[in-house]
């Protein structure tokens, strides 16, 4: 079960609204949704929580790029909403690098053989190119927190406190921001 809400900062404090993510397919869609809720291009926080699995906070300040924090990246990777937040940039990957490499290899015919050589390895040859020496999968999503741990520091929730949150995290975040009552109205 998911819960999603927007908290928009105003001169009078925070305004909360629940939000439907059915039409959100990309981080750009989510960022646009947050900007629409913004009052005078002030800070908007988007909370997404999958019960007992993970939570994410997306912070949008005016026209700046969104800042993202995810409590458990590997759990989020198994979620359609989590996948939206797990961008190549957040994961430290080159955007669509694998697709580009595969396309280039196909374009120039790089199959690991020289012209005129057979297209298969002999029985005593092994292909070590597919395995990294360290045994780590480059595409693996890390377990645990990922993203901007200082995302809420200037709003009253230090990094160390954010990293310790597990269950009922959004309630604790809203409490630290002074927005617990407004969040409760949409929960």
């Amino acid at each position: 079960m998911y819960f999603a809400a927007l908290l928009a900062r105003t001169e009078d404090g925070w305004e909360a609204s629940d939000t439907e993510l059915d039409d959100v397919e990309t981080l750009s869609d989510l960022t646009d949704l947050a900007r629409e809720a913004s009052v005078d291009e002030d800070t908007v926080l988007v909370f997404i929580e999958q019960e007992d699995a993970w939570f994410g906070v997306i912070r949008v300040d005016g026209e700046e790029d969104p800042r993202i924090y995810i409590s458990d990246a590997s759990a989020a990777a198994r979620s359609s909403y989590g996948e939206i937040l797990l961008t190549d940039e957040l994961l430290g990957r080159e955007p669509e690098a694998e697709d580009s490499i595969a396309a280039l290899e196909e374009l120039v015919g790089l199959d690991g053989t020289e012209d005129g050589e057979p297209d298969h390895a002999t029985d005593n040859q092994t292909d070590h190119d597919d395995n990294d020496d360290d045994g780590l999968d480059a595409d693996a999503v890390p377990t645990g927190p990922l993203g901007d741990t200082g995302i809420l520091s200037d709003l009253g929730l230090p990094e160390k406190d954010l990293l310790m949150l597990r269950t009922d995290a959004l309630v604790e975040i809203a409490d630290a921001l002074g927005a617990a009552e407004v969040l409760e109205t949409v929960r």
Side-chain angles (χ1 to χ4, degrees):
M1 175 176 245
Y2 289 96
F3 170 73
L6 290 168
L7 277 181
R9 194 174 194 185
T10 68
E11 290 179 7
D12 300 325
W14 292 94
E15 290 181 7
S17 60
D18 60 345
T19 186
E20 287 294 323
L21 298 178
D22 294 340
D23 296 331
V24 173
E25 295 180 9
T26 65
L27 180 58
S28 182
D29 293 343
L30 192 58
T31 302
D32 290 344
L33 186 69
R35 286 191 176 118
E36 289 171 12
S38 177
V39 177
D40 297 327
E41 295 190 9
D42 212 339
T43 301
V44 176
L45 301 174
V46 180
F47 294 137
I48 301 174
E49 179 179 57
Q50 184 178 6
E51 193 172 285
D52 297 328
W54 67 276
F55 70 91
V57 179
I58 302 89
R59 178 176 177 165
V60 178
D61 293 300
E63 291 300 316
E64 292 181 26
D65 288 341
R67 296 167 58 190
I68 302 168
Y69 172 78
I70 301 170
S71 66
D72 187 338
S74 63
R78 296 185 295 272
S79 156
S80 58
Y81 296 126
E83 287 179 345
I84 292 171
L85 305 180
L86 292 169
T87 63
D88 287 335
E89 181 181 347
L90 189 66
L91 292 168
R93 295 181 188 153
E94 195 67 34
E96 300 179 28
E98 289 179 13
D99 295 338
S100 299
I101 292 170
L104 285 173
E105 287 176 348
E106 186 177 312
L107 181 67
V108 294
L110 297 177
D111 61 0
T113 62
E114 296 290 328
D115 287 341
E117 283 186 17
D119 201 16
H120 55 77
T122 60
D123 289 340
N124 59 359
Q125 289 178 321
T126 58
D127 185 7
H128 295 287
D129 293 338
D130 291 337
N131 297 321
D132 292 336
D133 292 338
D134 59 8
L136 296 176
D137 181 5
D139 293 329
V141 175
T143 301
L146 184 66
D148 185 348
T149 57
I151 192 170
L152 301 171
S153 293
D154 64 323
L155 298 174
L157 187 68
E159 290 181 42
K160 65 179 179 60
D161 293 348
L162 180 62
L163 289 168
M164 295 181 68
L165 297 177
R166 295 292 172 248
T167 58
D168 290 328
L170 300 186
V171 172
E172 292 184 42
I173 291 170
D175 190 42
L177 302 177
E181 288 181 21
V182 293
L183 182 64
E184 191 59 36
T185 63
V186 297
R187 198 158 170 102

